[in-house]
Amino acid sequence: MTSLMLLLLIYDIFGSPRRGSAAAAAASTTAPDNNIPTRNTIYAIVGIYTLCHSFSAHKEFRFLLPMLPLLCIRSGSVLADWFSALNNDENKNNNKNNNNKNNNDKRKGWAVCVRPDMKMAVVLIMIVTNTLAFCYLGLFHQAAPLSVTKSLVQRIQQKRHQQPGAPLVVTTTHRDVTIRIHFLMGCHSTPLYSHLHLGPSSSGSMAIDPWYLDCSPSCRSTQTCESDRFHGNPRKFVADAYGLSPSSSTSSAAVGGEDYCKTERDHVVPDYLVMYAEQAHEVRDLVVELGMRKVDRFVHGINGARLLGSATLGRENYENDAFSKYNIVSDMLTISVDEMILFEKRI
């Protein structure tokens, strides 16, 4: 829900004239229609739906998407009244006999009583804040999965061009040349097959063999998943997965039980390895031992910030050395960002 819609709904609940009142009738821009659900009906539907889903242990923002059209209806209605009231105010400023009308306007709600220049200022603030949110959420927030996949495809294309006439096929079937990519991250962290391809083909001498940590429902119901095991102790997981010496897995983190869903791998070091910054920082020496090097990093989102060198938001993440820090506007604002790290096997 954008800040614009949130502000409109707050006004609709607390600031606008109630339906059926004389002020509401005077401020309304359209003729009443008994077939249109009332404001209270819409909010009752949204409230009951949200309340019922609040009792579920599994909560996601997408579960609220069915209610978004109803909220858009109310937001659109409020916006229509705002701009209609703005036009009415401008006309009344040109009317010499507007004293009595202005007194009546005070009963119509906040939207009509505020001066036109104030209304436009509010609208501009809404536009600016939502534009900033749109740019951040659309271009940076959780964009790393697409960025790292695009980088992988480009790098694999370069390898393919070194072998003329070898079309690239995404498959788990080993061919003459296999590019192994391991994603040591949580469930559904990358789009994988929907983006990691250059077009299907039934022939060729190059293939991609991806490995991602298991988190299937069948695994969760009986054992600890690979993804949970990895996040519980990244060092031990990497040491076990790639056959490193036991001393390499020494860590103060809890190891957990040995009974977990384990994908049978041959301990072959991959051509590419992808991890989030926090886990990559913890196993950085093991990655070097595997003969891999960091080749790129991709911003995944802001997880902390420091204002004016003192006030800190998300202090735990901000003070974590695993996350990169960027100064914005000199030293007035410093942000901490989570990233996806891409490693490549040394040639």
Side-chain angles (χ1 to χ4, degrees):
M1 180 183 297
T2 65
S3 59
L4 171 61
M5 180 179 293
L6 180 59
L7 289 175
L8 292 175
L9 294 175
I10 291 175
Y11 164 73
D12 190 36
I13 295 174
F14 298 104
S16 65
R18 294 294 178 262
R19 184 181 179 92
S21 65
S28 177
T29 60
T30 59
D33 188 346
N34 294 329
N35 294 323
I36 298 178
T38 65
R39 173 176 54 189
N40 292 339
T41 302
I42 290 179
Y43 286 134
I45 295 173
V46 174
I48 294 173
Y49 180 92
T50 304
L51 179 63
C52 292
H53 280 76
S54 298
F55 289 103
S56 173
H58 183 192
K59 299 180 180 67
E60 295 186 34
F61 285 121
R62 61 189 177 93
F63 295 162
L64 298 178
L65 289 180
M67 295 296 100
L68 192 59
L70 293 178
L71 298 178
C72 288
I73 291 174
R74 288 308 312 159
S75 300
S77 176
V78 175
L79 270 180
D81 287 341
W82 273 30
F83 284 100
S84 176
L86 177 59
N87 294 331
N88 290 339
D89 281 348
E90 292 177 348
N91 294 332
K92 290 172 184 177
N93 288 336
N94 298 326
N95 192 334
K96 296 180 180 180
N97 301 320
N98 60 358
N99 293 333
N100 294 332
K101 294 180 179 180
N102 287 337
N103 292 331
N104 294 331
D105 286 343
K106 295 179 181 179
R107 299 192 301 270
K108 296 179 182 178
W110 177 83
V112 181
C113 296
V114 177
R115 298 197 316 269
D117 57 336
M118 291 294 293
K119 292 177 189 174
M120 291 306 300
V122 171
V123 171
L124 288 176
I125 291 174
M126 292 179 179
I127 292 175
V128 170
T129 55
N130 278 271
T131 300
L132 293 175
F134 175 80
C135 293
Y136 171 69
L137 296 175
L139 299 176
F140 300 102
H141 184 63
Q142 297 185 349
L146 293 178
S147 300
V148 72
T149 305
K150 181 179 180 180
S151 177
L152 284 168
V153 170
Q154 291 175 345
R155 293 174 183 277
I156 295 172
Q157 281 180 327
Q158 295 176 356
K159 293 180 180 295
R160 184 187 66 170
H161 292 331
Q162 295 173 2
Q163 302 179 24
L168 179 63
V169 182
V170 176
T171 176
T172 56
T173 303
H174 291 255
R175 305 280 184 99
D176 297 335
V177 177
T178 301
I179 304 297
R180 294 180 174 84
I181 306 174
H182 291 182
F183 296 93
L184 300 187
M185 297 180 291
C187 302
H188 317 299
S189 295
T190 67
L192 203 61
Y193 290 108
S194 62
H195 286 257
L196 192 60
H197 63 82
L198 296 178
S201 176
S202 58
S203 62
S205 59
M206 181 175 286
I208 299 178
D209 182 16
W211 176 43
Y212 47 91
L213 303 182
D214 182 24
C215 60
S216 59
S218 59
C219 170
R220 289 183 179 275
S221 62
T222 57
Q223 297 173 297
T224 302
C225 296
E226 277 184 329
S227 59
D228 295 335
R229 174 76 176 183
F230 170 72
H231 287 92
N233 191 333
R235 294 185 62 83
K236 180 169 177 54
F237 185 93
V238 170
D240 291 344
Y242 299 108
L244 299 178
S245 61
S247 59
S248 300
S249 63
T250 303
S251 174
S252 59
V255 175
E258 295 296 329
D259 185 22
Y260 71 99
C261 297
K262 185 176 182 180
T263 304
E264 294 299 330
R265 307 297 298 181
D266 51 9
H267 298 305
V268 173
V269 176
D271 298 280
Y272 297 99
L273 183 63
V274 184
M275 285 185 285
Y276 282 112
E278 187 172 14
Q279 288 74 37
H281 181 75
E282 188 169 347
V283 302
R284 59 190 183 279
D285 57 321
L286 303 185
V287 174
V288 173
E289 188 175 342
L290 291 174
M292 307 195 74
R293 61 188 180 94
K294 181 169 60 179
V295 294
D296 215 338
R297 55 198 310 142
F298 307 91
V299 175
H300 190 60
I302 299 175
N303 58 14
R306 175 163 291 176
L307 304 174
L308 303 176
S310 57
T312 304
L313 303 176
R315 181 177 297 275
E316 182 178 354
N317 289 329
Y318 186 87
E319 295 178 351
N320 192 330
D321 294 335
F323 302 123
S324 300
K325 310 297 188 296
Y326 296 93
N327 289 325
I328 308 296
V329 191
S330 185
D331 293 331
M332 295 180 61
L333 173 63
T334 304
I335 61 173
S336 170
V337 298
D338 191 11
E339 297 171 304
M340 274 189 180
I341 312 298
L342 175 62
F343 298 93
E344 185 179 45
K345 184 166 64 174
R346 299 178 183 274
I347 301 177

